[in-house]
Amino acid sequence: MSGTGTPSTTATATRAEYCVVACAEAWRDAGEVLASPMGTVPTIGARLARLTFSPDLLLTDGEALLIGDVPAVGAAPGVVEGWLPYRQHLALVATGRRHVMMGASQLDRYGNQNINCVGDWARPKRQLLGVRGAPINTLNNPTSYWVPKHSTRVFVERVDMVSGVGYDRAAAAGPAATRYHRVPEVISDLGVFDFETPDRAMRLRSLHPGVTVEEVLAATGFAPVVPDDVPYTREPTAEELRLIREEIDPKGLRDREVPS
C-alpha cells in the first residue's frame, strides 16, 4: 500500500520540506497563541505558519522575548514586541494559550511520551532529559510531537516511563486531566499521525511522498490504525518553498535534521 495521488512538486521539494509543511499545519488558524517548537524543522514550520496562514501566531526567540518579525533560523530578531519571562511563560501554559511541539524518546499508541529514561525506573539503561515540563504541557495546552527519525526504538508498545500524558492515562485520571488535554498530531520523517479514532489510538493520517505504509509499519513498534486510502502529506506551494529556502532557512539546516 502507498499514499494516494502524486504531488506535482515531489521532484523539487525535499523530505525535510514536506516535514516543515506538516509541522506548519499543526498551527493552522491557531489564532493568538504561543508556538513553542522544539527542533529545527518545527521551528521552521512555526515561522512558515506565521508568514502564511497563521499571522496572529506568537513566536519567541527561544529565551525570553516575543518577536515581532520572522527572522531566519539562528538570526536575531529585528523587532521585539514583548517580554516573556519564565513566570509569564508558565502562565500561558497553565491557561492553555500555547501549542508546544515537543520531541520524544519514546511514544506509544495512545500518545504517552517518554523523555526521562530508557529501561526499568529502578535501574535504567539510559538517563535522558528528565520529565521536564511534559506533564503540565500535556494536561494544560495542545501538545504535538516531532520525531525526526521514525523507528521502533521511538514508537513503542509501552513507554518505559510516562513524561507526557497520553489519551488512555488522561482518561483514567478523570475530568481534571482530560479537560484541556489534547495531542493534535505526531509528525515524523515518514508521515503524519493523529488520534482521531474511537479509542484514541494512533492513526496514520498521511504519508510523506516516497514513503509506503509498509515502511511505516516496519518502523513502528505497534500497529497504528491505517485507513484504506492514506493520502500524501500536502505539497508545499511555490511561495512556501521560497519562504523556507530564502527567508526562514537559507542555510539549509532542515536537511541536517531530515537528510534527503
Side-chain angles (χ1 to χ4, degrees):
M1 291 187 289
S2 62
T4 57
T6 302
S8 60
T9 60
T10 300
T12 57
T14 65
R15 177 72 60 82
E17 289 163 344
Y18 275 98
C19 291
V20 166
V21 167
C23 288
E25 285 289 344
W27 286 287
R28 177 177 283 275
D29 301 325
E32 194 173 321
V33 301
L34 179 66
S36 292
M38 300 180 185
T40 300
V41 166
T43 297
I44 300 168
R47 296 185 184 197
L48 180 64
R50 166 76 174 264
L51 288 172
T52 53
F53 43 71
S54 295
D56 296 326
L57 199 64
L58 301 178
L59 300 177
T60 77
D61 66 346
E63 294 186 13
L65 299 177
L66 282 173
I67 60 177
D69 60 349
V70 183
V73 175
V79 179
V80 174
E81 64 179 6
W83 170 243
L84 193 68
Y86 191 62
R87 63 183 180 278
Q88 198 168 328
H89 196 130
L90 290 179
L92 286 175
V93 174
T95 54
R97 292 178 292 163
R98 181 178 77 150
H99 183 165
V100 59
M101 186 172 290
M102 299 182 68
S105 300
Q106 292 179 330
L107 274 172
D108 69 21
R109 70 173 70 243
Y110 296 108
N112 294 290
Q113 171 235 35
N114 175 24
I115 52 173
N116 185 63
C117 65
V118 174
D120 184 78
W121 168 257
R123 195 176 181 85
K125 298 176 182 177
R126 183 172 298 175
Q127 177 66 52
L128 305 174
L129 289 173
V131 172
R132 313 285 288 196
I136 193 171
N137 287 345
T138 48
L139 295 184
N140 288 278
N141 55 224
T143 304
S144 294
Y145 294 107
W146 160 242
V147 180
K149 294 182 180 180
H150 192 126
S151 73
T152 54
R153 293 179 62 182
V154 178
F155 289 81
V156 296
E157 182 66 38
R158 183 181 178 87
V159 297
D160 292 336
M161 193 273 181
V162 176
S163 302
V165 180
Y167 279 102
D168 58 338
R169 288 181 175 269
T178 59
R179 185 177 180 184
Y180 299 114
H181 177 268
R182 188 161 72 92
V183 183
E185 297 180 0
V186 175
I187 299 154
S188 80
D189 61 331
L190 298 184
V192 180
F193 304 80
D194 61 26
F195 299 89
E196 299 301 317
T197 57
D199 64 347
R200 292 297 197 175
M202 190 180 294
R203 177 184 72 162
L204 175 60
R205 194 169 78 194
S206 72
L207 293 164
H208 300 326
V211 179
T212 66
V213 171
E214 287 77 13
E215 286 180 80
V216 171
L217 295 178
T220 307
F222 56 87
V225 176
V226 180
D228 292 336
D229 292 309
V230 183
Y232 282 117
T233 302
R234 80 160 178 89
E235 61 184 293
T237 66
E239 175 61 8
E240 286 173 333
L241 286 176
R242 186 194 70 79
L243 289 170
I244 293 169
R245 296 171 180 179
E246 298 178 16
E247 295 191 23
I248 306 173
D249 184 30
K251 295 182 179 180
L253 300 177
R254 62 195 178 277
D255 294 316
R256 298 182 188 179
E257 195 163 58
V258 182
S260 298

